[in-house]
Amino acid sequence: MSDLIALLDAIGKTTFEFPDGGDLDSEARDLVDEYPGIAPYEETQGEEYMGEPQREHFRRILMQWKRDLMNEVDRTVHHMQDEAANFPDPNDRATQESEFSLELRARDRERKLIKKIDEALASVSSGDYGYCESCGVEIGIRRLEARPTATLCIDCKTLDEIREKQTGS
């Protein structure tokens, strides 16, 4: 952890800043606004971090997100079945193939996201959800609402991105 603080101090960063000037609270509101019936979590005075009410809140967010993604997968399958045609014109066939390729690429990304959601749901069940995999500190309610599949605290994620940028990987 001291390495992280030293690196952040060396580059002059003490807090994470969004490129567009946003903050975690606005990011959390944007995400939670997507799910009707799930309001941002309101912590009570002295409440234990990742106690049962918080775990249930995130379980609901993750399950709703997964349902939405699964519905999108079903929609894509039906769309591709309905739209599949054998066009005589090679340009029309190429356009259709290109559209299908883009849709399949998006669905592949969503498939990977569903896997991350499943991993997050498993960590909610095991009691590990909400704690940084790298340093063990609390990730934070607002960050988790902004990115429910987050596994790193903001400082470790920033350090990870800095390393990634330096190594070019």
Side-chain angles (χ1 to χ4, degrees):
M1 187 65 177
S2 61
D3 292 342
L4 171 66
I5 294 169
L7 180 60
L8 291 174
D9 285 342
I11 62 170
K13 286 186 84 108
T14 55
T15 60
F16 181 79
E17 299 162 5
F18 285 90
D20 64 358
D23 60 18
L24 284 177
D25 286 338
S26 67
E27 294 289 321
R29 281 190 299 275
D30 291 345
L31 177 78
V32 175
D33 286 346
E34 292 179 23
Y35 304 111
I38 302 177
Y41 190 81
E42 296 295 328
E43 296 177 75
T44 58
Q45 187 72 22
E47 181 178 8
E48 175 189 6
Y49 181 74
M50 279 305 135
E52 188 54 38
Q54 291 178 11
R55 285 196 309 269
E56 184 56 34
H57 173 75
F58 288 107
R59 187 178 294 114
R60 283 196 331 264
I61 289 174
L62 290 162
M63 291 301 294
Q64 181 64 45
W65 198 8
K66 183 177 177 178
R67 268 192 299 275
D68 291 349
L69 290 171
M70 296 300 285
N71 288 338
E72 190 64 23
V73 168
D74 290 342
R75 187 199 63 75
T76 298
V77 169
H78 294 303
H79 170 72
M80 291 179 80
Q81 288 171 341
D82 294 344
E83 297 297 318
N86 192 6
F87 293 108
D89 180 42
N91 290 326
D92 290 340
R93 280 197 308 271
T95 299
Q96 183 183 46
E97 287 295 320
S98 178
E99 289 172 0
F100 284 178
S101 176
L102 285 173
E103 274 196 64
L104 290 173
R105 194 174 325 154
R107 293 312 146 250
D108 187 51
R109 291 184 74 206
E110 289 174 354
R111 179 188 56 81
K112 292 174 185 174
L113 181 55
I114 289 170
K115 183 179 177 193
K116 284 185 176 184
I117 291 171
D118 288 338
E119 291 169 358
L121 286 166
S123 72
V124 168
S125 297
S126 71
D128 295 331
Y129 185 77
Y131 295 93
C132 180
E133 287 181 348
S134 182
C135 68
V137 302
E138 299 173 356
I139 293 175
I141 300 296
R142 298 298 164 238
R143 173 158 165 71
L144 288 169
E145 285 184 331
R147 173 59 70 189
T149 56
T151 58
L152 298 174
C153 68
I154 198 68
D155 292 334
C156 289
K157 182 63 177 171
T158 302
L159 180 60
D160 195 43
E161 289 175 356
I162 292 168
R163 281 190 199 128
E164 189 176 295
K165 188 182 259 186
Q166 289 174 344
T167 61
S169 51

